[in-house]
Amino acid sequence: MTHHIVPVKTYAFVFAALLVLLALTVAAAQIENEVLNLLVGLTIAVSKAALIMLFFMHLRYNTFVIRMAAVAGFFWLAILMTLTMSDYLSRM
Amino acid sequence: MNTHLAHHFDDADQQFDAARLGMWIFLATEIMFFGGMFVGYTIYRVNYPQAFAVGSSHLQLVAGTVNTAVLLLSSFTMALAVRCSQTNRRTGTVFLLAITLLLGVVFLGIKGFEYTEKFATHHVPGESFSLSEPHSSPVDPQHVELFFSFYFAMTGFHALHMIIGVALVTIAATQAWKKCFSAEYYTPVEITGLYWHFVDIVWVFLFPLLYLIR
């Protein structure tokens, strides 16, 4: 078997990074600006999700087909979000 | 000869990749399942930003933050459990899966505590919903009620996924205990791990969208 075994150090580093990002997002929530607040919150959430998927879920070490399946889910969600919001936001 | 290899696969690697691909396709459908609620949330937050901020201010930030940390830690222990099964460490696998399980239960406990508080303060959507203190900002209580509808629907479905995850981890831990796995075959541990991490990712998005609105 040729499974990639990720060093414990890498997992520990990713976990530490996730905790730092959590502290950051709670601190950033004090930003009073509505748009900036949402933008920072979402950027941090996407970073955390990416870390979890790439390392904990081994996407970084998986085959191309598996990575495409993962991307497809978010791609279809983006279609749903874009089409729906382009409707709602242009109604005013 | 690997006894776990089904006849329609060339080798164990191909079988393992197929299992992971299948799980990722399932997770893509899960993204769509939660995605519908996220889009609904977006529409109403765009329409009633102040009401959502008021609703968010009634959630317990400390409980939410602690719960996020608990879930992140459980993902870490889950990743280590998978690593232990990759390296043939059975007791390590069982121990780490048990810790993951425990952290999942702690998460659900804190969530239950939060729900109880919401029922006590009448913040649950429905007949008895009320915003106790008067707000200076002209916010319609019904719009705040909408926020709480999304809060309960999204965290409720997330909690349901957590309960399923706890059940799956229990099964994986029991199988590991019964020596069902080895470095050659640990697919159920890997697949359960993928599910667990996915549920963690959903919470990573729910946390800022529900608890951290200004």
Side-chain angles (χ1 to χ4, degrees), chain A residues 1-4 6 11-12 15 29-30 37-38 45 53 57-58 62-63 66 70 74 77 81 88, chain B residues 13 16-17 20 24 31 35 42-43 45 73 76 83 86 184 186 190 194 197 201 204 212 214:
Chain A
M1 296 292 274
T2 52
H3 296 165
H4 188 96
V6 184
Y11 283 137
F15 176 57
Q30 305 312 315
N37 180 293
L38 179 66
M53 286 195 287
M57 297 172 93
H58 301 149
N62 279 172
T63 59
I66 293 178
F74 290 99
L77 179 58
M81 193 64 100
Y88 275 92
Chain B
D13 275 346
F16 188 58
D17 270 347
R20 284 194 290 195
W24 271 105
I31 293 173
T42 309
I43 292 166
R45 178 157 170 189
L73 179 59
F76 177 51
R83 192 183 184 280
Q86 284 175 327
E184 282 72 42
Y186 60 94
E190 169 87 12
L194 286 180
H197 296 310
I201 288 173
V204 159
L212 302 178
R214 276 294 174 282

mmCIF file of all heavy atoms in Angstrom, chain A residues 1-4 6 11-12 15 29-30 37-38 45 53 57-58 62-63 66 70 74 77 81 88, chain B residues 13 16-17 20 24 31 35 42-43 45 73 76 83 86 184 186 190 194 197 201 204 212 214:
data_model
loop_
_atom_site.group_PDB
_atom_site.id
_atom_site.type_symbol
_atom_site.label_atom_id
_atom_site.label_comp_id
_atom_site.label_asym_id
_atom_site.label_seq_id
_atom_site.Cartn_x
_atom_site.Cartn_y
_atom_site.Cartn_z
ATOM 1 N N MET A 1 0.836 -1.199 0.000
ATOM 2 C CA MET A 1 0.000 0.000 0.000
ATOM 3 C C MET A 1 0.874 1.253 0.000
ATOM 4 O O MET A 1 1.923 1.287 0.619
ATOM 5 C CB MET A 1 -0.886 0.000 1.255
ATOM 6 C CG MET A 1 -1.864 -1.153 1.291
ATOM 7 S SD MET A 1 -3.118 -1.037 0.036
ATOM 8 C CE MET A 1 -4.315 -0.019 0.885
ATOM 9 N N THR A 2 0.406 2.259 -0.680
ATOM 10 C CA THR A 2 1.214 3.467 -0.825
ATOM 11 C C THR A 2 0.495 4.690 -0.244
ATOM 12 O O THR A 2 0.565 5.766 -0.800
ATOM 13 C CB THR A 2 1.509 3.735 -2.305
ATOM 14 O OG1 THR A 2 0.275 3.708 -3.012
ATOM 15 C CG2 THR A 2 2.458 2.710 -2.880
ATOM 16 N N HIS A 3 -0.210 4.495 0.852
ATOM 17 C CA HIS A 3 -0.933 5.626 1.426
ATOM 18 C C HIS A 3 0.030 6.629 2.033
ATOM 19 O O HIS A 3 0.981 6.260 2.700
ATOM 20 C CB HIS A 3 -1.910 5.144 2.505
ATOM 21 C CG HIS A 3 -2.972 4.270 1.952
ATOM 22 N ND1 HIS A 3 -3.762 3.483 2.714
ATOM 23 C CD2 HIS A 3 -3.355 4.064 0.681
ATOM 24 C CE1 HIS A 3 -4.591 2.810 1.940
ATOM 25 N NE2 HIS A 3 -4.367 3.154 0.702
ATOM 26 N N HIS A 4 -0.289 7.889 1.772
ATOM 27 C CA HIS A 4 0.558 8.935 2.312
ATOM 28 C C HIS A 4 0.282 9.089 3.801
ATOM 29 O O HIS A 4 -0.841 9.333 4.209
ATOM 30 C CB HIS A 4 0.285 10.249 1.585
ATOM 31 C CG HIS A 4 1.246 11.312 1.949
ATOM 32 N ND1 HIS A 4 2.363 11.585 1.192
ATOM 33 C CD2 HIS A 4 1.283 12.138 3.006
ATOM 34 C CE1 HIS A 4 3.033 12.547 1.778
ATOM 35 N NE2 HIS A 4 2.408 12.909 2.873
ATOM 36 N N VAL A 6 0.744 11.343 6.874
ATOM 37 C CA VAL A 6 1.096 12.721 7.217
ATOM 38 C C VAL A 6 1.757 12.734 8.595
ATOM 39 O O VAL A 6 1.265 12.097 9.524
ATOM 40 C CB VAL A 6 -0.175 13.596 7.221
ATOM 41 C CG1 VAL A 6 0.164 15.050 7.478
ATOM 42 C CG2 VAL A 6 -0.940 13.445 5.918
ATOM 43 N N TYR A 11 -0.099 17.717 11.388
ATOM 44 C CA TYR A 11 -1.445 17.793 11.965
ATOM 45 C C TYR A 11 -1.476 18.781 13.119
ATOM 46 O O TYR A 11 -2.408 19.581 13.234
ATOM 47 C CB TYR A 11 -1.879 16.409 12.465
ATOM 48 C CG TYR A 11 -2.306 15.457 11.369
ATOM 49 C CD1 TYR A 11 -1.892 14.120 11.376
ATOM 50 C CD2 TYR A 11 -3.130 15.877 10.336
ATOM 51 C CE1 TYR A 11 -2.294 13.239 10.378
ATOM 52 C CE2 TYR A 11 -3.537 15.007 9.339
ATOM 53 C CZ TYR A 11 -3.116 13.687 9.364
ATOM 54 O OH TYR A 11 -3.505 12.828 8.388
ATOM 55 N N ALA A 12 -0.457 18.727 13.990
ATOM 56 C CA ALA A 12 -0.413 19.620 15.147
ATOM 57 C C ALA A 12 -0.318 21.072 14.693
ATOM 58 O O ALA A 12 -0.983 21.956 15.250
ATOM 59 C CB ALA A 12 0.766 19.261 16.043
ATOM 60 N N PHE A 15 -3.695 22.183 13.411
ATOM 61 C CA PHE A 15 -4.613 22.403 14.536
ATOM 62 C C PHE A 15 -4.305 23.739 15.219
ATOM 63 O O PHE A 15 -5.228 24.517 15.526
ATOM 64 C CB PHE A 15 -4.519 21.243 15.538
ATOM 65 C CG PHE A 15 -5.349 21.441 16.767
ATOM 66 C CD1 PHE A 15 -6.715 21.668 16.665
ATOM 67 C CD2 PHE A 15 -4.763 21.418 18.025
ATOM 68 C CE1 PHE A 15 -7.486 21.860 17.799
ATOM 69 C CE2 PHE A 15 -5.537 21.602 19.164
ATOM 70 C CZ PHE A 15 -6.892 21.832 19.047
ATOM 71 N N ALA A 29 -14.650 40.092 15.023
ATOM 72 C CA ALA A 29 -16.095 40.314 15.089
ATOM 73 C C ALA A 29 -16.415 41.644 15.756
ATOM 74 O O ALA A 29 -17.548 42.122 15.686
ATOM 75 C CB ALA A 29 -16.766 39.173 15.843
ATOM 76 N N GLN A 30 -15.420 42.254 16.418
ATOM 77 C CA GLN A 30 -15.652 43.548 17.057
ATOM 78 C C GLN A 30 -15.673 44.688 16.040
ATOM 79 O O GLN A 30 -16.096 45.796 16.360
ATOM 80 C CB GLN A 30 -14.576 43.826 18.115
ATOM 81 C CG GLN A 30 -14.432 42.726 19.171
ATOM 82 C CD GLN A 30 -15.759 42.285 19.764
ATOM 83 O OE1 GLN A 30 -16.595 43.117 20.095
ATOM 84 N NE2 GLN A 30 -15.964 40.977 19.871
ATOM 85 N N ASN A 37 -16.860 43.396 8.373
ATOM 86 C CA ASN A 37 -17.054 42.343 9.378
ATOM 87 C C ASN A 37 -17.366 41.009 8.728
ATOM 88 O O ASN A 37 -16.743 39.984 9.012
ATOM 89 C CB ASN A 37 -18.206 42.781 10.305
ATOM 90 C CG ASN A 37 -18.496 41.756 11.377
ATOM 91 O OD1 ASN A 37 -18.946 40.657 11.068
ATOM 92 N ND2 ASN A 37 -18.220 42.107 12.616
ATOM 93 N N LEU A 38 -18.330 41.041 7.774
ATOM 94 C CA LEU A 38 -18.735 39.819 7.080
ATOM 95 C C LEU A 38 -17.587 39.273 6.235
ATOM 96 O O LEU A 38 -17.316 38.068 6.213
ATOM 97 C CB LEU A 38 -19.946 40.111 6.192
ATOM 98 C CG LEU A 38 -20.484 38.933 5.380
ATOM 99 C CD1 LEU A 38 -21.057 37.871 6.295
ATOM 100 C CD2 LEU A 38 -21.546 39.399 4.394
ATOM 101 N N ALA A 45 -13.242 31.850 7.688
ATOM 102 C CA ALA A 45 -13.956 30.566 7.620
ATOM 103 C C ALA A 45 -13.469 29.739 6.427
ATOM 104 O O ALA A 45 -13.229 28.534 6.545
ATOM 105 C CB ALA A 45 -15.461 30.806 7.523
ATOM 106 N N MET A 53 -9.733 20.587 4.886
ATOM 107 C CA MET A 53 -9.874 19.721 3.708
ATOM 108 C C MET A 53 -8.521 19.259 3.158
ATOM 109 O O MET A 53 -8.358 18.099 2.807
ATOM 110 C CB MET A 53 -10.670 20.443 2.621
ATOM 111 C CG MET A 53 -12.153 20.515 2.950
ATOM 112 S SD MET A 53 -13.143 20.953 1.543
ATOM 113 C CE MET A 53 -12.738 22.668 1.389
ATOM 114 N N MET A 57 -8.473 16.072 5.759
ATOM 115 C CA MET A 57 -9.215 15.214 4.836
ATOM 116 C C MET A 57 -8.341 14.722 3.682
ATOM 117 O O MET A 57 -8.837 14.121 2.728
ATOM 118 C CB MET A 57 -10.453 15.949 4.306
ATOM 119 C CG MET A 57 -11.447 16.309 5.400
ATOM 120 S SD MET A 57 -12.784 17.374 4.847
ATOM 121 C CE MET A 57 -14.026 16.157 4.412
ATOM 122 N N HIS A 58 -7.051 15.025 3.767
ATOM 123 C CA HIS A 58 -6.042 14.474 2.842
ATOM 124 C C HIS A 58 -6.224 14.871 1.376
ATOM 125 O O HIS A 58 -5.677 14.222 0.503
ATOM 126 C CB HIS A 58 -6.019 12.933 2.912
ATOM 127 C CG HIS A 58 -5.719 12.424 4.286
ATOM 128 N ND1 HIS A 58 -6.229 11.244 4.754
ATOM 129 C CD2 HIS A 58 -4.984 12.918 5.288
ATOM 130 C CE1 HIS A 58 -5.819 11.033 5.995
ATOM 131 N NE2 HIS A 58 -5.057 12.054 6.348
ATOM 132 N N ASN A 62 -4.592 13.397 -2.262
ATOM 133 C CA ASN A 62 -5.510 12.535 -3.014
ATOM 134 C C ASN A 62 -5.338 12.672 -4.520
ATOM 135 O O ASN A 62 -4.645 13.565 -5.007
ATOM 136 C CB ASN A 62 -6.962 12.865 -2.634
ATOM 137 C CG ASN A 62 -7.375 12.198 -1.322
ATOM 138 O OD1 ASN A 62 -8.425 12.468 -0.807
ATOM 139 N ND2 ASN A 62 -6.523 11.325 -0.800
ATOM 140 N N THR A 63 -6.040 11.773 -5.249
ATOM 141 C CA THR A 63 -5.981 11.801 -6.711
ATOM 142 C C THR A 63 -6.769 12.989 -7.254
ATOM 143 O O THR A 63 -7.603 13.571 -6.562
ATOM 144 C CB THR A 63 -6.587 10.514 -7.298
ATOM 145 O OG1 THR A 63 -7.944 10.421 -6.858
ATOM 146 C CG2 THR A 63 -5.819 9.285 -6.860
ATOM 147 N N ILE A 66 -10.675 12.749 -7.057
ATOM 148 C CA ILE A 66 -11.256 13.014 -5.743
ATOM 149 C C ILE A 66 -11.274 14.518 -5.475
ATOM 150 O O ILE A 66 -12.257 15.067 -4.979
ATOM 151 C CB ILE A 66 -10.479 12.251 -4.646
ATOM 152 C CG1 ILE A 66 -10.691 10.741 -4.836
ATOM 153 C CG2 ILE A 66 -10.922 12.690 -3.256
ATOM 154 C CD1 ILE A 66 -9.951 9.869 -3.853
ATOM 155 N N ALA A 70 -14.580 17.085 -4.752
ATOM 156 C CA ALA A 70 -14.677 18.042 -3.653
ATOM 157 C C ALA A 70 -14.979 19.440 -4.188
ATOM 158 O O ALA A 70 -15.852 20.144 -3.674
ATOM 159 C CB ALA A 70 -13.381 18.045 -2.845
ATOM 160 N N PHE A 74 -18.669 22.597 -4.058
ATOM 161 C CA PHE A 74 -18.626 24.044 -3.829
ATOM 162 C C PHE A 74 -18.962 24.815 -5.094
ATOM 163 O O PHE A 74 -19.572 25.888 -5.048
ATOM 164 C CB PHE A 74 -17.249 24.448 -3.294
ATOM 165 C CG PHE A 74 -17.013 23.958 -1.899
ATOM 166 C CD1 PHE A 74 -16.271 22.812 -1.668
ATOM 167 C CD2 PHE A 74 -17.579 24.618 -0.817
ATOM 168 C CE1 PHE A 74 -16.074 22.339 -0.384
ATOM 169 C CE2 PHE A 74 -17.395 24.152 0.476
ATOM 170 C CZ PHE A 74 -16.643 23.011 0.692
ATOM 171 N N LEU A 77 -22.687 24.890 -5.434
ATOM 172 C CA LEU A 77 -23.209 25.814 -4.426
ATOM 173 C C LEU A 77 -23.029 27.254 -4.914
ATOM 174 O O LEU A 77 -23.919 28.099 -4.747
ATOM 175 C CB LEU A 77 -22.490 25.603 -3.090
ATOM 176 C CG LEU A 77 -22.917 26.531 -1.953
ATOM 177 C CD1 LEU A 77 -24.399 26.399 -1.669
ATOM 178 C CD2 LEU A 77 -22.110 26.249 -0.697
ATOM 179 N N MET A 81 -25.876 30.069 -5.363
ATOM 180 C CA MET A 81 -25.751 31.355 -4.691
ATOM 181 C C MET A 81 -25.774 32.495 -5.718
ATOM 182 O O MET A 81 -26.496 33.477 -5.541
ATOM 183 C CB MET A 81 -24.437 31.355 -3.898
ATOM 184 C CG MET A 81 -24.274 32.470 -2.903
ATOM 185 S SD MET A 81 -25.459 32.431 -1.550
ATOM 186 C CE MET A 81 -24.528 31.697 -0.227
ATOM 187 N N TYR A 88 -32.387 38.252 -6.541
ATOM 188 C CA TYR A 88 -32.856 39.050 -5.404
ATOM 189 C C TYR A 88 -32.253 40.455 -5.359
ATOM 190 O O TYR A 88 -32.935 41.412 -5.045
ATOM 191 C CB TYR A 88 -32.561 38.310 -4.087
ATOM 192 C CG TYR A 88 -33.648 37.327 -3.737
ATOM 193 C CD1 TYR A 88 -33.566 36.006 -4.145
ATOM 194 C CD2 TYR A 88 -34.772 37.738 -3.021
ATOM 195 C CE1 TYR A 88 -34.578 35.100 -3.852
ATOM 196 C CE2 TYR A 88 -35.783 36.844 -2.718
ATOM 197 C CZ TYR A 88 -35.686 35.535 -3.125
ATOM 198 O OH TYR A 88 -36.677 34.650 -2.845
ATOM 199 N N ASP B 13 -5.605 -0.559 -3.559
ATOM 200 C CA ASP B 13 -5.481 0.885 -3.730
ATOM 201 C C ASP B 13 -6.653 1.447 -4.527
ATOM 202 O O ASP B 13 -7.217 2.484 -4.187
ATOM 203 C CB ASP B 13 -4.161 1.226 -4.449
ATOM 204 C CG ASP B 13 -3.017 1.327 -3.462
ATOM 205 O OD1 ASP B 13 -3.293 1.393 -2.242
ATOM 206 O OD2 ASP B 13 -1.857 1.330 -3.910
ATOM 207 N N PHE B 16 -9.722 1.437 -2.414
ATOM 208 C CA PHE B 16 -9.664 2.501 -1.413
ATOM 209 C C PHE B 16 -10.000 3.851 -2.042
ATOM 210 O O PHE B 16 -10.784 4.630 -1.492
ATOM 211 C CB PHE B 16 -8.267 2.518 -0.788
ATOM 212 C CG PHE B 16 -8.143 3.451 0.382
ATOM 213 C CD1 PHE B 16 -8.960 3.312 1.493
ATOM 214 C CD2 PHE B 16 -7.187 4.450 0.382
ATOM 215 C CE1 PHE B 16 -8.841 4.163 2.583
ATOM 216 C CE2 PHE B 16 -7.062 5.312 1.473
ATOM 217 C CZ PHE B 16 -7.884 5.168 2.573
ATOM 218 N N ASP B 17 -9.426 4.116 -3.238
ATOM 219 C CA ASP B 17 -9.714 5.370 -3.935
ATOM 220 C C ASP B 17 -11.185 5.468 -4.319
ATOM 221 O O ASP B 17 -11.786 6.542 -4.249
ATOM 222 C CB ASP B 17 -8.837 5.496 -5.195
ATOM 223 C CG ASP B 17 -7.516 6.188 -4.874
ATOM 224 O OD1 ASP B 17 -7.414 6.776 -3.775
ATOM 225 O OD2 ASP B 17 -6.589 6.124 -5.704
ATOM 226 N N ARG B 20 -13.171 6.419 -1.265
ATOM 227 C CA ARG B 20 -13.011 7.840 -0.935
ATOM 228 C C ARG B 20 -13.753 8.725 -1.936
ATOM 229 O O ARG B 20 -14.375 9.709 -1.560
ATOM 230 C CB ARG B 20 -11.533 8.213 -0.893
ATOM 231 C CG ARG B 20 -10.871 7.727 0.369
ATOM 232 C CD ARG B 20 -9.537 8.367 0.558
ATOM 233 N NE ARG B 20 -8.577 7.881 -0.421
ATOM 234 C CZ ARG B 20 -7.264 8.058 -0.324
ATOM 235 N NH1 ARG B 20 -6.771 8.714 0.700
ATOM 236 N NH2 ARG B 20 -6.454 7.598 -1.231
ATOM 237 N N TRP B 24 -16.696 11.419 -1.142
ATOM 238 C CA TRP B 24 -16.632 12.835 -1.530
ATOM 239 C C TRP B 24 -17.838 13.242 -2.362
ATOM 240 O O TRP B 24 -18.326 14.369 -2.260
ATOM 241 C CB TRP B 24 -15.328 13.139 -2.276
ATOM 242 C CG TRP B 24 -14.232 13.518 -1.331
ATOM 243 C CD1 TRP B 24 -13.173 12.753 -0.943
ATOM 244 C CD2 TRP B 24 -14.087 14.761 -0.634
ATOM 245 N NE1 TRP B 24 -12.387 13.433 -0.042
ATOM 246 C CE2 TRP B 24 -12.920 14.668 0.159
ATOM 247 C CE3 TRP B 24 -14.837 15.946 -0.586
ATOM 248 C CZ2 TRP B 24 -12.486 15.715 0.979
ATOM 249 C CZ3 TRP B 24 -14.398 16.991 0.223
ATOM 250 C CH2 TRP B 24 -13.235 16.855 0.993
ATOM 251 N N ILE B 31 -23.075 19.224 0.811
ATOM 252 C CA ILE B 31 -22.815 20.657 0.622
ATOM 253 C C ILE B 31 -24.064 21.312 0.039
ATOM 254 O O ILE B 31 -24.481 22.391 0.456
ATOM 255 C CB ILE B 31 -21.597 20.881 -0.309
ATOM 256 C CG1 ILE B 31 -20.311 20.409 0.366
ATOM 257 C CG2 ILE B 31 -21.477 22.354 -0.696
ATOM 258 C CD1 ILE B 31 -19.096 20.439 -0.548
ATOM 259 N N GLY B 35 -26.267 23.910 1.662
ATOM 260 C CA GLY B 35 -26.174 25.080 0.789
ATOM 261 C C GLY B 35 -27.517 25.777 0.628
ATOM 262 O O GLY B 35 -27.591 27.002 0.630
ATOM 263 N N THR B 42 -28.703 33.886 3.390
ATOM 264 C CA THR B 42 -28.122 35.052 2.718
ATOM 265 C C THR B 42 -29.205 36.025 2.261
ATOM 266 O O THR B 42 -29.106 37.239 2.474
ATOM 267 C CB THR B 42 -27.280 34.614 1.509
ATOM 268 O OG1 THR B 42 -26.371 33.605 1.930
ATOM 269 C CG2 THR B 42 -26.507 35.780 0.922
ATOM 270 N N ILE B 43 -30.273 35.475 1.657
ATOM 271 C CA ILE B 43 -31.365 36.318 1.155
ATOM 272 C C ILE B 43 -31.947 37.166 2.297
ATOM 273 O O ILE B 43 -32.082 38.383 2.173
ATOM 274 C CB ILE B 43 -32.489 35.452 0.544
ATOM 275 C CG1 ILE B 43 -31.987 34.770 -0.736
ATOM 276 C CG2 ILE B 43 -33.721 36.306 0.241
ATOM 277 C CD1 ILE B 43 -32.887 33.651 -1.223
ATOM 278 N N ARG B 45 -30.660 37.770 5.302
ATOM 279 C CA ARG B 45 -29.707 38.662 5.966
ATOM 280 C C ARG B 45 -29.517 39.938 5.151
ATOM 281 O O ARG B 45 -29.373 41.024 5.708
ATOM 282 C CB ARG B 45 -28.364 37.950 6.157
ATOM 283 C CG ARG B 45 -27.355 38.872 6.803
ATOM 284 C CD ARG B 45 -26.254 38.172 7.502
ATOM 285 N NE ARG B 45 -25.230 39.149 7.879
ATOM 286 C CZ ARG B 45 -24.058 38.833 8.356
ATOM 287 N NH1 ARG B 45 -23.736 37.555 8.514
ATOM 288 N NH2 ARG B 45 -23.185 39.756 8.676
ATOM 289 N N LEU B 73 -10.740 20.581 17.889
ATOM 290 C CA LEU B 73 -9.921 19.599 18.592
ATOM 291 C C LEU B 73 -10.339 18.172 18.220
ATOM 292 O O LEU B 73 -9.497 17.292 18.010
ATOM 293 C CB LEU B 73 -10.036 19.812 20.110
ATOM 294 C CG LEU B 73 -9.257 18.834 21.002
ATOM 295 C CD1 LEU B 73 -7.771 18.889 20.700
ATOM 296 C CD2 LEU B 73 -9.496 19.134 22.482
ATOM 297 N N PHE B 76 -8.912 17.200 15.022
ATOM 298 C CA PHE B 76 -7.491 16.898 15.198
ATOM 299 C C PHE B 76 -7.315 15.469 15.706
ATOM 300 O O PHE B 76 -6.528 14.685 15.155
ATOM 301 C CB PHE B 76 -6.883 17.918 16.169
ATOM 302 C CG PHE B 76 -5.441 17.695 16.496
ATOM 303 C CD1 PHE B 76 -4.484 17.524 15.494
ATOM 304 C CD2 PHE B 76 -5.009 17.672 17.819
ATOM 305 C CE1 PHE B 76 -3.147 17.327 15.805
ATOM 306 C CE2 PHE B 76 -3.682 17.477 18.140
ATOM 307 C CZ PHE B 76 -2.747 17.300 17.127
ATOM 308 N N ARG B 83 -4.474 8.297 11.353
ATOM 309 C CA ARG B 83 -3.035 8.075 11.219
ATOM 310 C C ARG B 83 -2.596 6.819 11.995
ATOM 311 O O ARG B 83 -1.756 6.050 11.523
ATOM 312 C CB ARG B 83 -2.263 9.295 11.716
ATOM 313 C CG ARG B 83 -0.795 9.246 11.349
ATOM 314 C CD ARG B 83 -0.027 10.412 11.907
ATOM 315 N NE ARG B 83 1.345 10.353 11.431
ATOM 316 C CZ ARG B 83 2.275 9.576 11.951
ATOM 317 N NH1 ARG B 83 1.986 8.783 12.953
ATOM 318 N NH2 ARG B 83 3.499 9.575 11.448
ATOM 319 N N GLN B 86 -3.399 3.852 10.072
ATOM 320 C CA GLN B 86 -2.474 3.724 8.930
ATOM 321 C C GLN B 86 -1.168 3.061 9.357
ATOM 322 O O GLN B 86 -0.498 2.412 8.560
ATOM 323 C CB GLN B 86 -2.151 5.110 8.340
ATOM 324 C CG GLN B 86 -3.244 5.701 7.504
ATOM 325 C CD GLN B 86 -2.895 7.116 7.048
ATOM 326 O OE1 GLN B 86 -2.236 7.871 7.740
ATOM 327 N NE2 GLN B 86 -3.349 7.453 5.845
ATOM 328 N N GLU B 184 -3.318 -2.243 5.986
ATOM 329 C CA GLU B 184 -3.759 -2.598 4.637
ATOM 330 C C GLU B 184 -5.221 -2.258 4.412
ATOM 331 O O GLU B 184 -5.643 -2.004 3.297
ATOM 332 C CB GLU B 184 -3.550 -4.099 4.365
ATOM 333 C CG GLU B 184 -2.126 -4.495 4.059
ATOM 334 C CD GLU B 184 -1.243 -4.444 5.299
ATOM 335 O OE1 GLU B 184 -1.732 -4.886 6.380
ATOM 336 O OE2 GLU B 184 -0.120 -3.946 5.213
ATOM 337 N N TYR B 186 -8.285 -0.004 6.338
ATOM 338 C CA TYR B 186 -8.871 0.807 7.412
ATOM 339 C C TYR B 186 -9.889 1.779 6.813
ATOM 340 O O TYR B 186 -10.163 2.836 7.380
ATOM 341 C CB TYR B 186 -7.770 1.572 8.162
ATOM 342 C CG TYR B 186 -6.974 2.506 7.277
ATOM 343 C CD1 TYR B 186 -7.317 3.851 7.165
ATOM 344 C CD2 TYR B 186 -5.903 2.029 6.540
ATOM 345 C CE1 TYR B 186 -6.615 4.693 6.336
ATOM 346 C CE2 TYR B 186 -5.197 2.870 5.695
ATOM 347 C CZ TYR B 186 -5.556 4.205 5.600
ATOM 348 O OH TYR B 186 -4.862 5.030 4.753
ATOM 349 N N GLU B 190 -11.181 5.851 7.730
ATOM 350 C CA GLU B 190 -10.928 6.974 6.833
ATOM 351 C C GLU B 190 -12.238 7.663 6.423
ATOM 352 O O GLU B 190 -12.357 8.884 6.486
ATOM 353 C CB GLU B 190 -10.200 6.453 5.573
ATOM 354 C CG GLU B 190 -10.095 7.432 4.423
ATOM 355 C CD GLU B 190 -8.888 8.346 4.512
ATOM 356 O OE1 GLU B 190 -8.002 8.072 5.344
ATOM 357 O OE2 GLU B 190 -8.838 9.326 3.738
ATOM 358 N N LEU B 194 -13.698 11.424 7.152
ATOM 359 C CA LEU B 194 -14.126 12.412 6.153
ATOM 360 C C LEU B 194 -15.461 13.031 6.566
ATOM 361 O O LEU B 194 -15.648 14.243 6.481
ATOM 362 C CB LEU B 194 -14.256 11.754 4.776
ATOM 363 C CG LEU B 194 -12.949 11.404 4.053
ATOM 364 C CD1 LEU B 194 -13.239 10.758 2.706
ATOM 365 C CD2 LEU B 194 -12.099 12.659 3.852
ATOM 366 N N HIS B 197 -14.974 15.403 9.607
ATOM 367 C CA HIS B 197 -14.351 16.678 9.218
ATOM 368 C C HIS B 197 -15.341 17.552 8.461
ATOM 369 O O HIS B 197 -15.356 18.770 8.619
ATOM 370 C CB HIS B 197 -13.116 16.425 8.355
ATOM 371 C CG HIS B 197 -12.029 15.709 9.074
ATOM 372 N ND1 HIS B 197 -11.567 16.096 10.307
ATOM 373 C CD2 HIS B 197 -11.299 14.612 8.734
ATOM 374 C CE1 HIS B 197 -10.606 15.271 10.700
ATOM 375 N NE2 HIS B 197 -10.435 14.367 9.766
ATOM 376 N N ILE B 201 -16.534 21.342 9.209
ATOM 377 C CA ILE B 201 -16.465 22.455 8.255
ATOM 378 C C ILE B 201 -17.791 23.221 8.218
ATOM 379 O O ILE B 201 -17.804 24.457 8.172
ATOM 380 C CB ILE B 201 -16.090 21.943 6.845
ATOM 381 C CG1 ILE B 201 -14.616 21.530 6.829
ATOM 382 C CG2 ILE B 201 -16.346 23.008 5.782
ATOM 383 C CD1 ILE B 201 -14.181 20.867 5.555
ATOM 384 N N VAL B 204 -17.744 25.510 11.019
ATOM 385 C CA VAL B 204 -16.785 26.593 10.791
ATOM 386 C C VAL B 204 -17.470 27.761 10.063
ATOM 387 O O VAL B 204 -17.177 28.925 10.320
ATOM 388 C CB VAL B 204 -15.563 26.073 9.990
ATOM 389 C CG1 VAL B 204 -14.828 27.198 9.293
ATOM 390 C CG2 VAL B 204 -14.618 25.314 10.914
ATOM 391 N N LEU B 212 -21.385 35.866 15.060
ATOM 392 C CA LEU B 212 -20.469 37.012 14.989
ATOM 393 C C LEU B 212 -20.988 38.163 14.131
ATOM 394 O O LEU B 212 -20.214 38.898 13.540
ATOM 395 C CB LEU B 212 -19.101 36.556 14.446
ATOM 396 C CG LEU B 212 -18.389 35.458 15.247
ATOM 397 C CD1 LEU B 212 -17.087 35.087 14.570
ATOM 398 C CD2 LEU B 212 -18.119 35.917 16.670
ATOM 399 N N ARG B 214 -22.341 41.792 13.338
ATOM 400 C CA ARG B 214 -22.405 43.136 13.936
ATOM 401 C C ARG B 214 -23.299 44.022 13.109
ATOM 402 O O ARG B 214 -23.323 43.947 11.912
ATOM 403 C CB ARG B 214 -21.006 43.767 14.005
ATOM 404 C CG ARG B 214 -20.226 43.349 15.234
ATOM 405 C CD ARG B 214 -20.872 43.868 16.522
ATOM 406 N NE ARG B 214 -20.196 43.344 17.691
ATOM 407 C CZ ARG B 214 -20.365 42.108 18.173
ATOM 408 N NH1 ARG B 214 -21.204 41.307 17.543
ATOM 409 N NH2 ARG B 214 -19.722 41.685 19.228
#
